[in-house]
Amino acid sequence: MRRVAVVGAGMTLFRHRMLETGKEMAFEASRMALDQAGLDIKDVDSVVLGSAPDAFDGVHMKGEYLLDGAGGTRKPYTRVFVGGGTGVFVPIAAWWQVASGVADIVLVVGEEKMSPLLPHPQYAFWSIFDPILERPLGVTLLWIFSLEMRRYMHVYNVSEEDIALVAVKNKRNALDHPAAQLAANITVDDVLKSEPICWPVKRLDVSPTSDGAAAVVLASEDVARRITDDPVWITGVGWNVDSTYWTNRDLCYPEYLEKAANMAYRMAHISDPKKEIDFAEVYDPFDYKELHHMEGLQLARRGEAPKLTREGVTQRDGDLPINPSGGLLGVGNPIAAAGMMKIAEVFWQLRGEAGKRQVKKPVRRGLAQAWGDLMQVGTVVIMER
Amino acid sequence: MTKVAIIGVGYSGYAPLTPHMSFKEMMFEASKRAYTDAGINPRTDVGSFICCEEDLWEGISITDEYVPDQLGGAQRAVCTVSDDGLVGLINGYMQIKSGLTDVVVVESHSKLSNVLSQGDVTRMSFEPYYERPFLTAETAVALEMRRYMFERELDDDIPAMVVAKNKKNGLGNPRAPYSAILSMDEVLSSPMVCEPLRKAHIPEPADGCSVTVLASEEKARILVDQPVWIRGVGWFSDTPWVSQRDFSKAVYAEGSSKMAYKMAGVNTPAKHFDFIEVDDSYGYKELQHLEALGVYTKENIKRAVEVGETDLRGPLPVNPSGGKISLGDMVEANGLVRVVEAVLTLRGQGPRSLRGAKHALVQSWRGPPTASGSTVILEV
Amino acid sequence: MESKKTLPGTPITGAEWENEVYSFRKHSVQLRYAWDAGSAVSGFLEGLKEGRILGRRCNRCMRVLVPPRAFCERCFRSTDEWVEVKDTGKINTYSVSYVNNDASRRDKPLIVAVIEIDGASPGMGFLHVLGEVEPSKVHVDMKVKAVWKPRDERVGAITDIKYFKPLEV
Ligand SMILES: [Zn+2]
């Protein structure tokens, strides 16, 4: 197993609707990542792209369409896909190309252009459901997440106020992120009084739909030592997918995420994640998901994440900063690009390049995680200085 | 680093219609066969599952949601590679090479019979601003076919001979639903779709599922008597813009084969292989691909077809399985379907004339409008 | 990253979009599919037409799977037999939806729930909607019962059950 480093990262603004096409956004993020690594496209051996459902763009085989924007022309190029978990999975698929010795430098691109779909990007999510058993009921993505949120609240006796604290923290953190779409100073009361969409989910509990792209460059140890004094190593990768039948699982706890995390912890030789992980970018398309995921990652005991949040442990200056970037709730949620934004954030934090977002304590090891499908996929990457 | 072998193959469907089973049940059947073939239990012995599929061919967005259960992959490392099945196999190869795991399952399937809007789905794969207003799969193919035949000075009879050869090869393959005795004249008198492309050139859609089990050398030697080794892999894309391609050659096949040859140490591809499985869409693609693979040249490809060098009993059998022309178009499964054929042939379970074959090449193309493809070199 | 004052990208405002300040190419398409339901789901739909909820039992782990499937994902083997379960159950979790699937607001909120069907194995939930109850009266673990469409209106679809209603009042 060869060692694999991250040597550069880049991203576009995240906004509800962008003038740039998907190709153009992929290009901008890729160019910035290559520039930070001091590399040119001719140095790149292979390109891996991540992008979520084709239904958003109205383009079939979207990976082929985005190919030239992502720098894949006349190169080995492919697209991988695990729903919302894709953003953190693309670097994993690039990792095994470098670790196996097949490639030395891989460009990793996450792109999402959700805005083209009319009347609303949410409509694409109707087509993710079982066409025979679920779609006839008029099911929406919001249903299943609110069902999960309700179950989590019920089993661990978590209040809507506890959950709202996450939205308050992340939107405030995002005030320092130059890409942010929904950065704001809000209160718990603002969240509780925001319009109910699918109770218990309210407007301010949810991340927005977004356009955007983000990219990183991975390199083998030889290359990384040659081009940078400051490589960040990928020391653990893990992913796991649970059964399709989401109504047959207890939604109070993400077992698949625990398994994905354990796969990554084993590889990174981590036995006590709570002590050994310095900070984490966990997937927060909804505020309750940050809590849910902290528990699945075993950064908190089951039902304990709300308490840690109340005590300020997860703030940027806390003992275990969670989502110092501002997360999906604050920076925005162009799905595959949002996961890649988390990878980029861990990279910048570990290099001390996060500027006003830099967490207070010294950090050596960070974790990025994403989640998706029918509340079913966990993807985890661990990075170290 | 470890060598990687294919230790099990399975399939189901391979028919124009499969109304008796859902895509899940089709996958369950194919994977059960592959696991039995490899002698493994998917719940305990597999480190990773890879599935190759595209949302709009399934009619389900984020279609990887519906994958794990029927493969034995619930609460396991499962992912989708949105590409041809052969690229999925290559990713499985790299997972094992990297030391991440020692057994990987790769699956791909087609339920094209369930897609009532096949033309609309294909049109949606064209670039929306410049290309989609004009192009369909057939027009894009015909443009390339015309230019390739012009540059090689090929008459209509050459692609027709390829179609006739592959239809006939399929007659010996129990898995090939579209095999037939078809004369060159019958190909040439089939209805014109988009000049010079005729109906008989176009592979017919089929349903089907293919599953392969890959293993590290250590595992392979414990589990099976007859591992088929993966000696080289390559994948490559040309420009996505249809009008900016060099229609005279398949750049993606050239790029992917060069990568695979380098890895496998193959210097003279024209002499290395006992048989070859290549994408043979529309007849002319078989020729364009053989050139790109360096097996034939633009000077000798025409003669090779005319004198039957690539026939089943010729010096270099090409598509002994009957190819896409006989097996049917199974979209993202096409590449993996051919891996299954090549593995069975290398094990002596294919055409009688190929018993004892040791070296095979499998090449695949993602179909119109893409210029993306992959190559794998197999050996027993 | 901080040295880069502004990141690439050109946002379009709502007003610019409404007024089509920039060019757009519009494409409307209706893709049609006919999914083969397969043996397990076909049997399930036939059962619904008759007003019965059917599951499949795996004789190794002894679970009764609802909705039914041809294979057990835990044991990785074919399931063994049909089992009729009850059309009652208890609410595992629920939610109140104020929006449609295209994000537009509903005229009237809709209560959705995962219902653990009586006679299926523990945890075997089922997605459906609730009726004849106010949102404020619903609670986790509430007992509910299916309300079926009249026999001559049932077509073999999940919507042959109109909704579930509380058993207790
Ligand atoms: Zn079982």
Side-chain angles (χ1 to χ4, degrees):
Chain A
M1 193 179 282
R2 303 203 302 171
R3 290 184 86 195
V4 182
V6 185
V7 294
M11 66 187 292
T12 65
L13 295 174
F14 286 2
R15 289 294 183 275
H16 175 64
R17 190 184 299 280
M18 297 267 260
L19 178 60
E20 284 77 10
T21 63
K23 282 174 190 272
E24 289 161 352
M25 293 193 304
F27 163 76
E28 293 290 355
S30 302
R31 187 64 260 172
M32 186 175 160
L34 287 169
D35 286 345
Q36 182 168 23
L39 293 170
D40 204 6
I41 193 69
K42 68 172 173 15
D43 304 316
V44 171
D45 295 325
S46 169
V47 178
V48 188
L49 173 105
S51 194
D54 291 13
F56 289 137
D57 305 66
V59 178
H60 170 47
M61 301 204 284
K62 187 163 57 162
E64 299 287 339
Y65 162 67
L66 293 167
L67 195 158
D68 53 340
T73 306
R74 298 212 165 185
K75 285 189 192 302
Y77 169 88
T78 194
R79 171 188 175 196
V80 293
F81 192 12
V82 280
T86 302
V88 170
F89 189 69
V90 217
I92 297 178
W95 172 88
W96 68 59
Q97 293 196 11
V98 179
S100 66
V102 169
D104 282 326
I105 300 178
V106 182
L107 175 61
V108 190
V109 187
E111 178 275 356
E112 213 69 64
K113 192 159 174 82
M114 300 172 77
S115 64
L117 185 71
L118 301 178
H120 191 279
Q122 271 296 339
Y123 192 57
F125 291 121
W126 179 68
S127 62
I128 75 170
F129 289 96
D130 186 295
I132 297 168
L133 299 176
E134 293 173 340
R135 282 189 218 178
L137 297 170
V139 57
T140 76
L141 194 65
L142 291 157
W143 284 20
I144 65 171
F145 299 147
S146 57
L147 290 167
E148 185 179 73
M149 177 167 166
R150 184 72 194 88
R151 183 73 191 167
Y152 175 65
M153 290 166 63
H154 172 79
V155 171
Y156 297 115
N157 198 18
V158 178
S159 70
E160 288 179 75
E161 285 82 352
D162 285 339
I163 289 171
L165 280 170
V166 174
V168 171
K169 166 178 73 72
N170 291 2
K171 284 175 190 293
R172 192 189 314 121
N173 282 353
L175 287 167
D176 298 321
H177 200 299
Q181 178 179 349
L182 280 186
N185 251 319
I186 57 166
T187 64
V188 167
D189 220 34
D190 292 334
V191 179
L192 297 180
K193 287 189 175 138
S194 64
E195 160 193 46
I197 304 174
C198 198
W199 184 86
V201 171
K202 302 161 292 296
R203 175 69 56 199
L204 291 174
D205 291 311
V206 196
S207 60
T209 61
S210 316
D211 291 354
V216 298
V217 182
L218 303 195
S220 62
E221 182 163 14
D222 293 355
V223 173
R225 300 246 185 245
R226 196 168 70 232
I227 64 173
T228 177
D229 298 330
D230 219 2
V232 169
W233 304 101
I234 293 181
T235 54
V237 301
W239 70 103
N240 195 281
V241 181
D242 208 334
S243 162
T244 307
Y245 298 88
W246 61 274
T247 56
N248 293 171
R249 295 187 238 127
D250 196 332
L251 300 175
C252 71
Y253 182 74
E255 283 180 33
Y256 50 91
L257 178 56
E258 181 183 306
K259 290 196 158 74
N262 288 345
M263 178 175 169
Y265 292 148
R266 259 195 312 277
M267 190 186 292
H269 308 293
I270 291 171
S271 52
D272 185 355
K274 217 174 153 179
K275 287 210 181 81
E276 296 176 66
I277 298 289
D278 296 327
F279 72 103
E281 282 283 328
V282 309
Y283 210 58
D284 61 327
F286 292 74
D287 42 13
Y288 81 95
K289 286 309 301 184
E290 176 169 313
L291 307 172
H292 212 228
H293 289 152
M294 283 171 65
E295 294 170 16
L297 290 165
Q298 301 143 74
L299 298 175
R301 288 193 305 276
R302 294 189 189 198
E304 186 199 32
K307 175 169 167 282
L308 298 182
T309 305
R310 265 199 312 274
E311 291 168 353
V313 172
T314 61
Q315 296 282 352
R316 252 187 220 147
D317 58 1
D319 287 342
L320 180 60
I322 302 289
N323 290 328
S325 66
L328 278 52
L329 289 162
V331 187
N333 187 9
I335 304 176
M340 283 287 293
M341 177 275 282
K342 291 185 173 292
I343 296 284
E345 182 70 11
V346 174
F347 172 72
W348 286 320
Q349 289 281 352
L350 288 173
R351 301 231 299 192
E353 294 175 344
K356 281 193 278 183
R357 300 192 310 284
Q358 191 66 43
V359 301
K360 202 167 172 192
K361 70 178 200 181
V363 287
R364 197 182 74 77
R365 187 189 273 137
L367 177 151
Q369 174 256 331
W371 162 85
D373 284 10
L374 296 167
M375 309 185 285
Q376 175 186 11
V377 172
T379 51
V380 178
V381 168
I382 295 164
M383 287 151 68
E384 294 180 37
R385 275 295 288 283
Chain B
M1 281 184 197
T2 177
K3 292 208 289 183
V4 180
I6 300 172
I7 61 163
V9 294
Y11 51 87
S12 63
Y14 289 22
L17 299 168
T18 50
H20 57 295
M21 50 186 175
S22 65
F23 74 94
K24 291 183 187 173
E25 291 162 9
M26 190 169 75
M27 288 167 71
F28 178 62
E29 190 175 298
S31 58
K32 246 189 332 189
R33 281 188 179 151
Y35 302 151
T36 306
D37 190 31
I40 58 160
N41 175 349
R43 302 301 291 152
T44 52
D45 301 337
V46 177
S48 159
F49 298 81
I50 296 173
C51 181
C52 296
E53 55 191 355
E54 280 283 353
D55 283 5
L56 295 192
W57 286 134
E58 306 294 321
I60 299 175
S61 288
I62 321 187
T63 188
D64 65 292
E65 296 163 348
Y66 295 90
V67 162
D69 300 62
Q70 61 271 23
L71 291 178
Q75 288 207 355
R76 300 292 184 271
V78 180
C79 74
T80 290
V81 172
S82 311
D83 213 315
D84 182 88
L86 202 55
V87 179
L89 180 122
I90 292 170
N91 277 279
Y93 167 91
M94 291 189 284
Q95 288 184 350
I96 294 173
K97 275 269 178 193
S98 73
L100 190 70
T101 177
D102 50 14
V103 179
V104 177
V105 169
V106 185
E107 184 274 350
S108 190
H109 63 270
S110 152
K111 262 280 187 182
L112 269 183
S113 69
N114 290 186
V115 186
L116 306 183
S117 313
Q118 281 174 34
D120 282 337
V121 170
T122 306
R123 281 198 72 195
M124 287 182 75
S125 58
F126 285 90
E127 194 279 339
Y129 310 96
Y130 297 92
E131 294 181 344
R132 202 180 294 178
F134 306 111
L135 289 174
T136 63
E138 292 77 17
T139 49
V141 165
L143 289 169
E144 184 183 81
M145 186 172 180
R146 170 82 79 201
R147 182 75 201 181
Y148 176 71
M149 289 172 66
F150 168 77
E151 294 211 7
R152 296 295 178 272
E153 299 177 350
L154 302 182
D155 293 329
D156 287 346
D157 56 343
I158 298 291
M161 286 170 88
V162 175
V163 171
K165 167 182 74 82
N166 292 355
K167 284 270 186 195
K168 188 176 158 203
N169 284 357
L171 285 171
N173 182 351
R175 291 170 296 280
Y178 294 110
S179 55
I181 300 282
L182 189 73
S183 71
M184 208 173 77
D185 286 345
E186 283 171 300
V187 177
L188 292 176
S189 59
S190 82
M192 192 62 89
V193 174
C194 192
E195 283 185 30
L197 184 69
R198 292 178 183 275
K199 189 163 185 305
H201 290 128
I202 304 174
E204 303 266 1
D207 292 357
C209 175
S210 297
V211 176
T212 58
V213 182
L214 313 187
S216 64
E217 179 170 12
E218 194 187 349
K219 276 274 176 188
R221 296 212 188 272
I222 296 168
L223 287 165
V224 296
D225 298 331
Q226 231 181 343
V228 172
W229 303 102
I230 301 174
R231 296 299 313 279
V233 301
W235 71 109
F236 203 82
S237 292
D238 194 1
T239 173
W241 297 93
V242 172
S243 58
Q244 291 175 12
R245 293 179 194 150
D246 177 353
F247 289 145
S248 74
K249 62 177 188 180
V251 168
Y252 53 90
E254 187 180 290
S256 67
S257 60
K258 275 189 178 157
M259 184 174 174
Y261 292 154
K262 191 175 166 199
M263 208 178 282
V266 172
N267 300 315
T268 48
K271 297 200 180 118
H272 188 85
F273 302 105
D274 297 314
F275 70 96
I276 291 179
E277 291 281 338
V278 293
D279 184 282
D280 55 330
S281 309
Y282 325 112
Y284 83 95
K285 275 281 178 193
E286 175 167 314
L287 310 177
Q288 198 197 29
H289 290 149
L290 288 171
E291 274 183 48
L293 298 173
V295 176
Y296 286 99
T297 64
K298 61 184 177 186
E299 287 80 20
N300 67 11
I301 184 75
K302 184 176 168 186
R303 199 183 126 71
V305 177
E306 282 170 343
V307 305
E309 280 189 29
T310 58
D311 287 0
L312 187 53
R313 290 175 184 283
L316 181 57
V318 174
N319 291 327
S321 68
K324 205 194 264 185
I325 301 274
S326 269
L327 284 156
D329 183 359
M330 296 188 234
V331 285
E332 302 301 2
N334 286 323
L336 215 55
V337 166
R338 304 296 201 85
V339 168
V340 171
E341 295 299 324
V343 166
L344 292 174
T345 301
L346 287 169
R347 287 182 186 169
Q349 296 164 282
R352 208 172 304 138
S353 56
L354 286 173
R355 299 238 166 107
K358 295 216 163 340
H359 302 278
L361 180 147
V362 181
Q363 178 268 345
S364 193
W365 167 56
R366 277 195 97 188
T370 81
S372 292
S374 45
T375 304
V376 167
I377 295 169
L378 303 176
E379 183 182 297
V380 283
Chain C
M1 183 199 181
E2 289 310 303
S3 59
K4 199 143 184 167
K5 268 275 180 298
T6 50
L7 292 169
T10 317
I12 296 178
T13 64
E16 287 169 335
W17 161 251
E18 296 289 336
N19 299 320
E20 302 210 5
V21 172
Y22 301 100
S23 330
F24 300 97
R25 185 180 122 70
K26 293 176 184 162
H27 180 169
S28 186
V29 65
Q30 179 74 44
L31 299 179
R32 295 182 312 118
Y33 299 87
W35 296 280
D36 295 320
S39 63
V41 171
S42 297
F44 178 67
L45 297 177
E46 284 303 311
L48 291 177
K49 211 192 271 183
E50 296 162 15
R52 306 191 300 156
I53 298 178
L54 298 177
R56 293 278 298 174
R57 178 169 25 233
C58 168
N59 282 346
R60 185 171 299 166
C61 64
M62 296 310 284
R63 288 187 308 156
V64 174
L65 308 172
V66 182
R69 52 217 88 148
F71 47 83
C72 171
E73 85 281 6
R74 289 199 189 156
C75 308
F76 199 69
R77 60 190 290 280
S78 299
T79 50
D80 298 277
E81 55 193 332
W82 290 100
V83 179
E84 183 173 351
V85 296
K86 299 216 168 83
D87 70 347
T88 56
K90 66 174 186 183
I91 292 176
N92 173 286
T93 179
Y94 69 98
S95 163
V96 187
S97 181
Y98 297 87
V99 291
N100 294 305
N101 57 12
D102 61 359
S104 59
R105 299 292 292 183
R106 295 181 60 90
D107 299 333
K108 199 171 153 264
L110 178 70
I111 313 171
V112 301
V114 173
I115 297 149
E116 294 179 32
I117 298 290
D118 293 331
S121 291
M124 281 288 142
F126 194 87
L127 176 70
H128 221 289
V129 299
L130 302 183
E132 298 182 40
V133 62
E134 286 304 311
S136 59
K137 297 276 191 290
V138 182
H139 59 86
V140 171
D141 292 339
M142 182 183 227
K143 295 285 291 173
V144 291
K145 180 175 173 48
V147 176
W148 296 84
K149 282 183 179 167
R151 194 180 184 97
D152 55 346
E153 288 176 26
R154 296 203 289 259
V155 294
I158 189 69
T159 45
D160 287 351
I161 298 173
K162 281 204 282 190
Y163 50 78
F164 283 75
K165 68 169 187 183
L167 257 180
E168 57 203 79
V169 185

